[in-house]
Amino acid sequence: MFKVTPNPPLTEPTIIPDPASPYECPGSKRFNEAAERALDYHLGPLSAHIMAAPYKPNRLYMANPKSGNEALLVDASETLGSASVMLSDFAALLDGTHRKTLLGIAQVVMLGELAVNQVLDNLVPTE
């Protein structure tokens, strides 16, 4: 008769070592030391350099920090308006699901433009 449970029942999971591995098991000290050496070799100098260097933003496409809120909002509104027009024009050249996707993106851009315009109106009321 076949027994379902092993004789005697196992209380702890046993790790079967890989015959090709020079380490006894994945939890062995030699295995952990080798893993640490590999990580230090590949990530050590890079991660130490990244962590030691202070963050400096790339100023190529950065808005002037001295710009006022009104100027930034006006520029954002114009940029979003231009993006909306470009998306609508491009959507006119497409058919099917691609057209619907592009029109959906154009609508999201237009909603962003409306939000920026509302903030601009709240900031600088028009008379």
Side-chain angles (χ1 to χ4, degrees):
M1 182 168 170
F2 179 72
K3 291 173 71 175
V4 178
T5 59
N7 191 11
L10 298 173
T11 56
E12 294 181 12
T14 57
I15 300 173
I16 301 171
D18 182 8
S21 174
Y23 309 107
E24 297 85 27
C25 65
S28 72
K29 185 177 179 182
R30 287 179 56 204
F31 181 79
N32 288 333
E33 289 171 354
E36 289 295 325
R37 280 193 312 273
L39 289 172
D40 288 343
Y41 176 77
H42 290 289
L43 301 177
L46 178 65
S47 61
H49 172 69
I50 289 173
M51 298 304 286
Y55 175 72
K56 286 194 246 179
N58 184 354
R59 297 197 181 259
L60 183 60
Y61 298 109
M62 187 173 163
N64 185 357
K66 295 180 182 177
S67 297
N69 289 341
E70 183 181 0
L72 291 170
L73 286 170
V74 167
D75 186 62
S77 176
E78 290 175 0
T79 301
L80 289 169
S82 297
S84 180
V85 170
M86 288 187 288
L87 286 166
S88 297
D89 289 348
F90 186 52
L93 302 174
L94 299 175
D95 292 323
T97 58
H98 296 297
R99 176 186 169 94
K100 290 180 181 179
T101 301
L102 213 54
L103 287 173
I105 295 169
Q107 185 175 11
V108 170
V109 170
M110 183 182 64
L111 290 173
E113 179 188 9
L114 289 172
V116 168
N117 286 337
Q118 184 62 50
V119 171
L120 190 59
D121 288 343
N122 292 344
L123 186 66
V124 182
T126 55
E127 296 178 333

